[in-house]
Structures are given as C-alpha cells and as structure tokens.
Amino acid sequence: QVQLVESGGGLVQAGDSLRLSCAASGRTFSSYAMGWFRQAPGKEREFVAAISFSGGNINYADSVKGRFTISRDNAKNTVYLQMNSLKPEDTAVYYCAARPGVRKIGVDEYDYWGQGTQVIVSS
C-alpha cells in the first residue's frame, strides 16, 4: 500500500514556473515507478510524465517536453515535477500516481493515486 500526497500547486501567470511535489508513504517507494497526470475541466485525465523506480528512465507527453522535468529522491520518498514556461493550457488538477515495476504512461496502469493539486495558469 502506498499513500501519495501532492503539494505545490497554485495560481501563476503564463511563463512562470512551479514545482510540484508528491510525498509517498511506505518503505518500498524505491521499487515503484511514478507518474504525473493531469485533468482539465471537462477533459479526461491525461499522462504528463513518468519516471522509473531508479530514476534512470523517463517519459514525457509531447505537450510538456522541454518545459517540464520529472525527478525523484528515493531517500525522501518524494517525486517532483518542475514546470517551466507554463501556459494557460497547462491549467488542470495534477495527480501523482505509483505502480510497482516498470513505468507506464496509461492512466489505467497505475495502482495508487494522490488527491491532486490544482494548477491555474492565467494569460
């Protein structure tokens, strides 16, 4: 069982940066692949980024590639999402998720989810 708590969301202007954090409980964090997803109003939840349990392998959605960076600190049981050059279309609730084993990009492939943190980017 893994419990996830996101933080770091807020209201920013276009072009600004934010860093989201996701703190995980449990002593097996380092064996879980982690992902960030987002859901905008009226839209389905979508993949943003994923990182392997070691941090050595990473995937990004095309829409955030070059602007967002996912990282993890296994000693702190925390995964991060650094978001730069934010755009209004990045406005969404951001969720972190965990799954044992290899990283995946599908929403249905993750077993544990946080409650989400709201990011609003004004133009």
Side-chain angles (χ1 to χ4, degrees), residues 38 46-50 59-66 105:
R38 66 186 182 186
E46 66 175 8
F47 169 75
V48 175
N59 296 88
Y60 294 103
D62 288 343
S63 58
V64 307
K65 204 171 291 184
I105 66 171

Side-chain angles (χ1 to χ4, degrees), residues 47-121:
F47 169 75
V48 175
I51 188 167
S52 62
F53 56 85
S54 68
N57 294 287
I58 289 172
N59 296 88
Y60 294 103
D62 288 343
S63 58
V64 307
K65 204 171 291 184
R67 299 188 298 123
F68 290 12
T69 302
I70 188 172
S71 62
R72 66 189 295 161
D73 186 338
N74 286 344
K76 295 182 178 180
N77 280 15
T78 302
V79 62
Y80 304 98
L81 185 67
Q82 177 66 44
M83 306 186 295
N84 298 330
S85 302
L86 282 161
K87 305 175 181 180
E89 52 263 44
D90 294 319
T91 295
V93 177
Y94 283 73
Y95 299 89
C96 71
R99 69 181 310 278
V102 301
R103 74 196 184 286
K104 299 285 187 180
I105 66 171
V107 172
D108 294 340
E109 295 176 299
Y110 282 77
D111 299 311
Y112 304 101
W113 292 84
Q115 82 290 348
T117 186
Q118 177 76 59
V119 172
I120 299 174
V121 184

